[in-house]
Amino acid sequence: MELHDVWFVLIAVLWTGYFFLEGFDFGIGVLTKLLARNRKERRVLINTIGPVWDGNEVWLLSAGGATFAAFPDWYATLFSGFYLPLLLILVCLIVRGVAFEYRAKRPEENWQRNWENAIFWTSLIPAVLWGVAFGNIVRGVKIDAQKEYVGTLGDLLNPYAILGGLVTLALFTFHGTVFAALKTVGDIRLRARKLALALGAVTAVLALGFLLWTQADNGDGKSLVAMVVAVAALVAAIGAIAAGREGWSFALSGVTIVAAVAMLFLTLFPNVMPSSLNEAWSLTVTNASSTPYTLKIMTWCAGIATPVVLLYQGWTYWVFRKRIGTQHIAE
């Protein structure tokens, strides 16, 4: 396997880790409106991700940085063509981080309510836009012979990509609801279980339609296996939460995300960004990659740094593993 193939796989792993971890972060943010009944319950939900949300976003920085270094042409075309959606995601992530930190800095109700509204919207919007972005990457966009995006913003809002956005929103919210049931106690835990069942059914319908569409357009035998795993894991996650097995349900919803993202990257390879104008103009792992020497240095650096990051993040989750409830929130 060539180094550019290795880095395609590593970037897929980084995006998978980001969607697995940040997925339930986004879900919790959406649940501050769907599940929480009062400010104390919203504080419970926010506190479930309080110690880990910023660490989860490291995966996005790593995925973006790895794409820039390993496939500079992919990075340039992607961020120029998808400029407005990606800028909106970036603004949301910045405001969301500020909202987590500043929400409790003042006691006034309006102050806290405004920041809580910001947490909701800056969780919902990226959850949709990531699905739209990856839907367009897989479907193919208007790239010319100079590797430049020549389409418009309206071209990105096609039915396949919009369905992808609805799938990521539903899947991340379901993932977050299961996480809320896993990390809380009392009435909010019971309501999270019940809400997860309803969200799971909606997610299953949307995800099945999107994955079948993807398989029909670009799939092969490997992507079909990934699709079957994703659908089976989602159904099993719904069954587990119905049985009150939150831990199993969370693991299985995570498997759903991993398998679904794997399917998208399997349908892409060896392309990294297909051209809908001319297949010969598509960006591939070969024509969009950095030099072999650059990839070699990156491989050594990643081999040293990645285990350290994984150990630290795993330790963080272990330290903050206990459940919380409204009785743990000070008046």
Side-chain angles (χ1 to χ4, degrees):
M1 181 181 288
E2 299 289 339
L3 278 178
H4 51 66
D5 296 332
V6 171
W7 273 98
F8 178 85
V9 173
L10 291 177
I11 288 172
V13 170
L14 290 172
W15 279 111
T16 301
Y18 174 67
F19 288 140
F20 179 95
L21 297 171
E22 190 79 329
F24 67 76
D25 277 0
F26 289 145
I28 291 293
V30 174
L31 290 177
T32 57
K33 293 290 187 183
L34 296 185
L35 182 63
R37 291 177 173 173
N38 51 54
R39 175 147 296 131
K40 183 172 283 191
E41 289 190 349
R42 284 192 288 275
R43 290 172 63 189
V44 169
L45 291 175
I46 293 170
N47 285 355
T48 62
I49 60 172
V52 297
W53 69 267
D54 48 355
N56 294 343
E57 291 189 353
V58 169
W59 290 78
L60 173 61
L61 299 176
S62 300
T67 304
F68 172 77
F71 299 99
D73 287 337
W74 183 13
Y75 183 93
T77 304
L78 176 64
F79 278 78
S80 59
F82 293 20
Y83 180 79
L84 287 178
L86 293 178
L87 177 63
L88 183 55
I89 290 175
L90 179 61
V91 171
C92 285
L93 294 180
I94 293 172
V95 173
R96 186 168 172 265
V98 173
F100 282 134
E101 299 296 335
Y102 275 74
R103 178 186 55 86
K105 295 297 184 182
R106 289 170 54 178
E108 291 88 346
E109 182 176 347
N110 285 342
W111 172 272
Q112 295 193 5
R113 183 174 62 249
N114 289 338
W115 285 120
E116 288 165 358
N117 288 334
I119 290 172
F120 170 77
W121 287 109
T122 56
S123 297
L124 185 147
I125 293 172
V128 174
L129 291 182
W130 281 127
V132 173
F134 271 83
N136 277 292
I137 292 173
V138 172
R139 174 179 176 267
V141 292
K142 295 179 178 179
I143 299 174
D144 65 12
Q146 285 71 47
K147 302 179 182 179
E148 294 182 0
Y149 177 74
V150 293
T152 65
L153 179 62
D155 293 328
L156 302 179
L157 301 177
N158 54 81
Y160 176 79
I162 291 173
L163 178 58
L166 295 176
V167 169
T168 49
L169 174 61
L171 183 56
F172 291 166
T173 307
F174 172 73
H175 194 44
T177 308
V178 175
F179 182 77
L182 178 64
K183 290 289 292 180
T184 59
V185 295
D187 181 58
I188 193 170
R189 176 188 178 190
L190 298 178
R191 284 188 281 115
R193 284 185 190 173
K194 189 176 296 185
L195 180 59
L197 290 175
L199 287 173
V202 174
T203 303
V205 173
L206 292 173
L208 182 61
F210 180 74
L211 295 179
L212 285 173
W213 193 343
T214 304
Q215 179 65 24
D217 282 353
N218 304 296
D220 56 14
K222 294 178 181 178
S223 62
L224 178 61
V225 171
M227 184 190 77
V228 171
V229 171
V231 174
L234 180 56
V235 173
I238 298 171
I241 197 66
R245 304 295 297 272
E246 295 105 339
W248 278 104
S249 183
F250 180 72
L252 288 164
S253 67
V255 171
T256 302
I257 293 174
V258 171
V261 176
M263 180 186 178
L264 296 182
F265 276 91
L266 284 170
T267 59
L268 265 181
F269 187 81
N271 294 323
V272 295
M273 205 165 177
S275 171
S276 60
L277 298 178
N278 188 330
E279 187 176 346
W281 297 343
S282 296
L283 301 182
T284 69
V285 293
T286 304
N287 66 22
S289 69
S290 294
T291 64
Y293 185 68
T294 300
L295 297 178
K296 184 177 180 179
I297 294 175
M298 289 176 59
T299 304
W300 279 104
C301 294
I304 295 170
T306 303
V308 177
V309 174
L310 291 175
L311 286 171
Y312 172 75
Q313 195 160 24
W315 174 78
T316 303
Y317 276 92
W318 175 256
V319 170
F320 295 100
R321 66 188 181 277
K322 292 185 177 180
R323 296 175 181 267
I324 63 173
T326 53
Q327 67 270 27
H328 301 116
I329 304 297
E331 295 294 340

